[in-house]
Amino acid sequence: MTWTNLQFSCSHQLARETETALEELGATAVTFGEGADAAPQFQLEPGDLPQWEQVQLTALFDSRQDFGRITRALRRRFPQLADTPMDLEALPEQDWERAWMEQFKPIHFGHDLWICPTSCAPPDPAATNIMLDPGLAFGTGTHATTALCMRWLAQHRADGQIVLDYGCGSGILAITALKLGARQATGVDIDPRALTASRENALKNAVSDRFDTCLHGELREDFRADLLFANILANTLIELKPLLLSRLAPGATIVLSGVLRDQAQQVCAAFRPEIDLQVETLDDWALLYSVA
Ligand SMILES: C[S@@+](CC[C@H](N)C(=O)[O-])C[C@H]1O[C@@H](n2cnc3c(N)ncnc32)[C@H](O)[C@@H]1O
C-alpha cells in the first residue's frame, strides 16, 4: 500500500478541530509542524499544541482515498480554509514509517512510567518502560487522548485485573495495563492492521502470553472486563454504549477518551443513569471514568 500526505497551514485556533475532522475523514495520523511565522517552542508536555500562530498540518492517508472529496469536505466545514493551498505528497510506505520514528521520542507519564520507541534506549531503565512502535496504528502517547489514559493508568494501575482495550490501535493501553500488573488484556479494533501492531508490541514487551486481540464483533460472548478502556470519538462511544456496558464485570471501571472537552457533558449524560462518569481534562480533550 502507498501513503499520501495532505499538507496545509491553518490558524492555531483551528488546528485541533481540523485535526479531528481529518481523522473523521480517514487520516491514519495527523501531525503538527511550524507554520511560516514560527518561533522555536521548547518544553512541550505530551498533548500540548505549540503556540505558533500558523500551524502546518500533515495528515497521512491511504493513497486510494478520494482527495477531491476530502479537500471539498474540509473547505465546506471550515470556510476559513476556502483559499488555503492544500498539497499532496505521495510517500512510499518505508519513508512514512521512518518519518514517524524520527518524531517519536520517549515520553514520561506519572513518576515511573515511560513510552519509548524501540529505536531508543529507555531514559530510566529501572522504570516501567513500554517499548512501542505504532506501525500503521494510532497510539504512541503523543496525542492528548492517549496521554490522558496513560496518566490515568499511572495513577490507578491495574493490579490483577482483566482489561478490555476497545479501539486498541497500537495496543498501548492494554500493554501498559499488563506491565502495571493486569492479569490479562484483550485488544479489539475494527482495523486488522491495529491488531497486527498490537500483537507485535505485546511481543516486544514480553506480555503476549497474557494478551489477545480480536476484531470488533468477534469478542467471546462471555468476556467480561474489570477495567475497560475505549479511546474512540465521542459519537462512536455513545453508539457503542450498550455493547461496552454489556462487557463490564460487576464493579468494573470504565475509562472513556477521545472526547473533546466541549463534548464531555454530552457523553456523561448519554452514559447515565447506568454510569456516573467523572471528568479529567488535558488541553481540549477530556477523559471520563467511573467505578460502575
Ligand atoms: C484514537 S485510536 C486509540 C488507540 C489507542 N487505544 C490509544 O489510546 O492511543 C481509536 C482506535 O479505535 C478504532 N476504532 C474506531 N471505531 C471502532 C469501533 N467501532 N470498534 C472498535 N474499534 C474502533 C480505530 O481503528 C483506532 O485504532
Side-chain angles (χ1 to χ4, degrees):
M1 184 190 293
T2 59
W3 297 87
T4 296
N5 267 337
L6 171 66
Q7 286 187 318
F8 57 93
S9 290
C10 73
S11 67
H12 177 269
Q13 291 81 355
L14 207 60
R16 284 288 185 213
E17 257 188 275
T18 314
E19 178 193 25
T20 305
L22 284 161
E23 286 167 354
E24 286 169 0
L25 287 164
T28 299
V30 181
T31 50
F32 299 113
E34 305 176 15
D37 66 336
Q41 300 276 307
F42 301 106
Q43 302 280 337
L44 291 175
E45 293 296 320
D48 278 359
L49 178 61
Q51 297 297 311
W52 304 308
E53 241 171 58
Q54 282 290 311
V55 177
Q56 167 95 358
L57 273 96
T58 302
L60 183 78
F61 286 93
D62 177 341
S63 299
R64 293 168 298 188
Q65 292 270 6
D66 178 348
F67 289 98
R69 179 187 68 83
I70 291 168
T71 51
R72 275 195 303 279
L74 280 172
R75 291 195 163 109
R76 230 185 353 259
R77 180 147 166 198
F78 304 105
Q80 305 92 314
L81 298 179
D83 299 322
T84 300
M86 296 194 179
D87 300 324
L88 293 174
E89 181 197 10
L91 297 179
E93 192 167 324
Q94 267 322 89
D95 286 355
W96 179 75
E97 291 203 30
R98 206 174 311 126
W100 242 115
M101 296 320 298
E102 277 165 17
Q103 287 181 22
F104 181 29
K105 306 276 185 257
I107 310 172
H108 196 196
F109 300 96
H111 77 285
D112 68 346
L113 178 62
W114 286 84
I115 294 290
C116 296
T118 53
S119 54
C120 286
D124 177 1
T128 302
N129 289 299
I130 318 298
M131 306 306 292
L132 199 93
D133 291 322
L136 298 181
F138 183 105
T140 56
T142 52
H143 196 277
T145 59
T146 313
L148 277 160
C149 296
M150 294 296 293
R151 195 169 77 177
W152 189 94
L153 267 168
Q155 284 164 4
H156 297 262
R157 323 222 28 124
D159 288 322
Q161 300 197 316
I162 306 277
V163 176
L164 178 57
D165 182 0
Y166 218 93
C168 60
S170 65
I172 184 169
L173 304 179
I175 292 166
T176 303
L178 287 168
K179 296 275 272 194
L180 291 175
R183 184 148 45 106
Q184 197 274 331
T186 298
V188 175
D189 210 287
I190 44 170
D191 184 347
R193 292 170 304 180
L195 303 186
T196 304
S198 291
R199 284 193 296 268
E200 285 170 2
N201 284 320
L203 264 176
K204 282 173 198 149
N205 288 281
V207 295
S208 54
D209 55 333
R210 292 181 286 139
F211 182 63
D212 293 324
T213 57
C214 71
L215 282 169
H216 172 66
E218 293 181 0
L219 189 59
R220 229 181 48 229
E221 200 46 46
D222 61 349
F223 184 97
R224 295 292 178 276
D226 303 314
L227 175 59
L228 189 158
F229 282 97
N231 175 9
I232 318 183
L233 296 170
N235 289 342
T236 314
L237 292 172
I238 293 172
E239 277 167 30
L240 288 176
K241 173 190 165 184
L243 185 152
L244 297 178
L245 295 191
S246 74
R247 295 308 189 158
L248 297 178
T253 303
I254 186 164
V255 181
L256 305 177
S257 190
V259 175
L260 285 166
R261 191 189 278 254
D262 297 345
Q263 300 168 325
Q265 289 315 318
Q266 185 196 347
V267 178
C268 288
F271 275 75
R272 280 196 291 267
E274 294 87 343
I275 301 249
D276 207 11
L277 292 162
Q278 303 178 42
V279 180
E280 285 183 5
T281 57
L282 176 64
D283 304 328
D284 294 338
W285 296 92
L287 170 135
L288 320 178
Y289 74 99
S290 91
V291 177

